[in-house]
Amino acid sequence: MPVERVDVSAYTVPTDAPEADGTLSWDTTTTVVAEVRSGGLTGTGWTYAPPAAADVVRHQLAPLVEGFDVLDIPATHARMCRAVRDAGRPGIVSCAISAVDIALWDLKARLLDLPLVRLLGANRDRVPVYGSGGFTTYHDTHLAAQLSGWVHGQHIPRVKIKIGEAWGRAATRDLQRVRHARQVIGPRAELYVDANGGYNRKQAVRIGEALAAVGVGWFEEPVSCDDLTGLRLVRDALLCDVTAGAYGYDLPSFARMIAAGAVDCLQADATRCGGITEFLRVAALAQAHGLEISSHHAPHAHADVAACVPNLRHLEWFHDHVRVESMLFGGVLDPTGGTLRPGRNGPGHGLVLRGEEMEEYRVAQRPTFRA
């Protein structure tokens, strides 16, 4: 059965408060949504990227998908990846491929009248999650309310906050916020931190040693994810797990990270790395090297595929994307108790795009000029 049509749209939603991590600040979140149609049904995929990713879908990828068999996703994925060689695979182009790939898997499952988790083949019926937010712009009261809501309200037993503020120049405040987070969540909940590459190597080691005293077990991107040697040095020096991989845009980038011995747990983002097709390959690569994998951001894009991965550690319940996905889609999942249960909302990933309700956030399509 051929793909009949590929549509794409972009939506920019203001954050509910100013947000920042160690190296970046923002006040909006943009989602690019791909819709793939065949047999009277629609598959939906998405990525978090600038609106330019929608232009890639519209002008470069759609002609490679339309008219080809909707069931042959690996062939379509390979065709897209080959065709973008001169455009450059990493970054926006990979995000665009990811959105189309997720949409294709959703459509295939809907055409076969199966939940996506069943089509992929479940390894578990529940997916562990961790609450993620704790932005460096939050004051103590805001931070406490968010963390308490996850741990004491929804009974999610693991949470993560941002540190590395101002490229590592606010280390004293970083540690104060971590100690405050521990007081809020209590001694039993797991506490994670994410520096987004804000520290240098020796600073990361010093910070990591202080974090150990507060029971932090997960130190994400203590140095830049491009500094694989630095990640390995920090990993070797600390007791907590050092993690990275969120900015991996293709399989070879994950292979390099593993070969460098850079991480204790590999992170991957299906909305960046090439969709569900590539996420499964990354997970298999990690398993072959004795590593677990954790999904990054976009929780509803990962729930089904995460349930199918034997070496999964957990899924990130990221505040921004939880909020945006709840606005964009009907049928969102409930993390109460610390897990998600995909496959309970019918065929595909079970989400339904709220078209008219999101119109105020739609990014205007740029006109196409032809000579």
Side-chain angles (χ1 to χ4, degrees), residues 58-329:
R58 186 176 297 114
H59 301 302
Q60 292 188 261
L61 302 183
L64 305 171
V65 177
E66 293 172 349
F68 289 90
D69 196 318
V70 69
L71 300 182
D72 296 338
I73 298 174
T76 299
H77 188 276
R79 194 163 52 251
M80 290 191 291
C81 292
R82 287 194 300 266
V84 300
R85 183 193 67 187
D86 289 347
R89 167 72 190 273
I92 286 175
V93 173
S94 188
C95 289
I97 291 172
S98 301
V100 174
D101 184 84
I102 293 168
L104 285 167
W105 279 104
D106 181 41
L107 177 57
K108 181 174 180 177
R110 291 176 190 269
L111 288 168
L112 297 175
D113 197 27
L114 286 172
L116 179 54
V117 67
R118 292 287 308 281
L119 174 63
L120 296 171
N123 183 266
R124 56 176 58 79
D125 62 357
R126 294 176 183 269
V127 177
V129 305
Y130 69 89
S132 174
F135 304 107
T136 58
T137 45
Y138 283 4
H139 52 68
D140 285 354
T141 303
H142 193 163
L143 179 64
Q146 186 180 69
L147 298 180
S148 182
W150 284 325
V151 174
H152 305 303
Q154 294 182 295
H155 305 290
I156 299 173
R158 53 195 81 84
V159 293
K160 184 176 80 180
I161 70 169
K162 301 289 190 180
I163 60 172
E165 182 178 354
W167 289 92
R169 291 190 291 270
T172 299
R173 183 170 186 262
D174 287 339
L175 294 175
Q176 180 273 322
R177 293 177 67 251
V178 173
R179 289 190 289 268
H180 178 61
R182 173 55 74 192
Q183 291 174 350
V184 171
I185 67 175
R188 295 185 178 179
E190 296 178 40
L191 181 57
Y192 304 161
V193 298
D194 181 2
N196 288 99
Y199 299 125
N200 62 45
R201 296 175 181 181
K202 288 196 172 182
Q203 185 183 24
V205 172
R206 292 193 297 270
I207 293 292
E209 290 171 345
L211 294 173
V214 196
V216 172
W218 169 285
F219 196 174
E220 185 173 333
E221 289 189 15
V223 298
S224 169
C225 59
D226 295 323
D227 182 9
L228 298 184
T229 300
L231 283 171
R232 180 182 57 78
L233 291 171
V234 174
R235 178 193 181 197
D236 289 346
L238 298 179
L239 292 176
C240 65
D241 284 352
V242 169
T243 72
Y247 297 101
Y249 289 104
D250 55 19
L251 194 61
S253 64
F254 293 97
R256 290 190 292 270
M257 185 166 285
I258 292 172
V263 296
D264 295 290
C265 181
L266 191 66
Q267 294 175 275
D269 189 332
T271 70
R272 289 178 178 169
C273 74
I276 290 171
T277 300
E278 201 83 328
F279 186 93
L280 289 169
R281 295 168 181 167
V282 174
L285 181 65
Q287 186 178 17
H289 289 83
L291 292 176
E292 291 181 313
I293 189 169
S294 176
S295 70
H296 174 265
H297 284 182
H300 291 91
H302 290 103
D304 293 272
V305 68
C308 303
V309 171
N311 55 324
L312 178 80
R313 183 176 296 193
H314 42 42
L315 175 152
E316 183 176 17
W317 191 251
F318 181 57
H319 170 73
D320 276 10
H321 296 177
V322 168
R323 178 171 171 267
V324 171
E325 288 167 13
S326 297
M327 296 170 66
L328 270 176
F329 301 110

Side-chain angles (χ1 to χ4, degrees), residues 328-350:
L328 270 176
F329 301 110
V332 294
L333 300 172
D334 182 1
T336 299
T339 62
L340 301 178
R341 298 189 67 185
R344 300 169 66 85
N345 291 335
H349 50 49

Side-chain angles (χ1 to χ4, degrees), residues 22-36:
T23 58
L24 191 67
S25 61
W26 62 94
D27 58 12
T28 62
T29 299
T30 298
T31 312
V32 174
V33 179
E35 296 175 271
V36 180

